[in-house]
Amino acid sequence: MNPLLASHYREILVGIGENPEREGLLDTPKRAAKAMQYLCNGYTLSLEEVTNGALFECQSDEMVIVSDIELYSLCEHHMLPFIGKVHVAYLPTGRVLGLSKVARVVDMFARRLQIQENLTRQIAEAIEQITGAAGVAVVIEAKHMCMMMRGVEKQNSVMTSSVMLGVFRDSSTTRQEFLQLIGRR
């Protein structure tokens, strides 16, 4: 736990009119600092560490899809959560990535202050880089607490973002197959 970060959280409590010496808040600055460090631990990771060499030879060049990967991230504008799911597809060219590593790549970038549009691109480019795939597609659907808890307070809004690289960008047939397989049109 970073003591400087904890002291900043203590000042935030004072700034909103709370008493950080109140029994229920005594350890809150430390807990909040520890939570923020965890929620932003993606800054300390590299793509090589996260994938840990889990690339395997494969003769298939057919679409690989990992869908409905849980997503938890923090909006860089308000530092409020956005929560949703990620669908990732790629067309292998001789190598496939270990299944859990796809989810770890998602988490590495999600555990940084983000906007959803950049997160979508970062995931796609990382999968392309690590696998050398002929194409990569990523779709994220998320609810943003900055839309739900403050501002316009729209409870049912869902943001969808997509990035299509390589064959997914060039071939409408391939792109359509992916979207149909994840249940989107």
Side-chain angles (χ1 to χ4, degrees), residues 104-121:
R104 290 185 189 280
V105 168
V106 168
D107 285 346
M108 181 182 82
F109 290 109
R111 300 273 185 210
R112 299 174 183 185
L113 299 179
Q114 284 285 10
I115 62 171
Q116 183 175 324
E117 299 90 336
N118 290 343
L119 176 58
T120 309
R121 178 154 300 279

Side-chain angles (χ1 to χ4, degrees), residues 116-158:
Q116 183 175 324
E117 299 90 336
N118 290 343
L119 176 58
T120 309
R121 178 154 300 279
Q122 290 167 352
I123 294 166
E125 289 175 349
I127 297 294
E128 181 181 55
Q129 176 188 332
I130 202 75
T131 64
V136 177
V138 176
V139 171
I140 298 179
E141 303 165 290
K143 291 187 166 210
H144 291 248
M145 296 302 130
C146 58
M147 282 273 292
M148 298 170 70
M149 295 176 65
R150 53 158 303 283
V152 296
E153 296 184 16
K154 300 300 177 203
Q155 304 307 303
N156 297 306
S157 61
V158 176

Side-chain angles (χ1 to χ4, degrees), residues 8-181:
H8 291 309
Y9 273 107
R10 186 179 191 290
E11 292 306 312
I12 289 170
L13 290 173
V14 170
I16 64 169
E18 263 294 354
N19 174 8
E21 302 303 318
R22 182 166 63 82
E23 180 184 9
L25 295 177
L26 284 174
D27 290 328
T28 296
K30 290 177 188 172
R31 286 191 300 265
K34 189 175 179 182
M36 186 57 77
Q37 286 179 294
Y38 176 78
L39 294 173
C40 293
N41 71 9
Y43 292 114
T44 66
L45 302 172
S46 71
L47 190 55
E48 292 72 26
E49 286 176 295
V50 166
T51 56
N52 195 26
L55 282 169
F56 306 100
E57 287 190 32
C58 179
Q59 300 306 311
S60 175
D61 61 358
E62 299 295 323
M63 193 179 304
V64 174
I65 300 174
V66 183
S67 60
D68 297 317
I69 301 167
E70 293 92 359
L71 167 73
Y72 306 96
S73 193
L74 293 174
C75 151
E76 68 183 35
H77 298 136
H78 302 100
M79 295 177 63
L80 290 172
F82 61 96
I83 300 166
K85 54 189 171 181
V86 182
H87 313 285
V88 177
Y90 66 98
L91 295 166
T93 56
R95 299 183 309 170
V96 293
L97 185 59
L99 178 60
S100 70
K101 303 307 182 187
V102 175
R104 290 185 189 280
V105 168
V106 168
D107 285 346
M108 181 182 82
F109 290 109
R111 300 273 185 210
R112 299 174 183 185
L113 299 179
Q114 284 285 10
I115 62 171
Q116 183 175 324
E117 299 90 336
N118 290 343
L119 176 58
T120 309
R121 178 154 300 279
Q122 290 167 352
I123 294 166
E125 289 175 349
I127 297 294
E128 181 181 55
Q129 176 188 332
I130 202 75
T131 64
V136 177
V138 176
V139 171
I140 298 179
E141 303 165 290
K143 291 187 166 210
H144 291 248
M145 296 302 130
C146 58
M147 282 273 292
M148 298 170 70
M149 295 176 65
R150 53 158 303 283
V152 296
E153 296 184 16
K154 300 300 177 203
Q155 304 307 303
N156 297 306
S157 61
V158 176
M159 180 178 171
T160 302
S161 56
S162 70
V163 170
M164 306 288 167
L165 303 175
V167 177
F168 287 97
R169 185 175 204 69
D170 300 335
S171 168
S172 61
T173 304
T174 304
R175 182 172 49 254
Q176 198 59 19
E177 178 185 353
F178 164 65
L179 294 172
Q180 286 176 346
L181 286 170

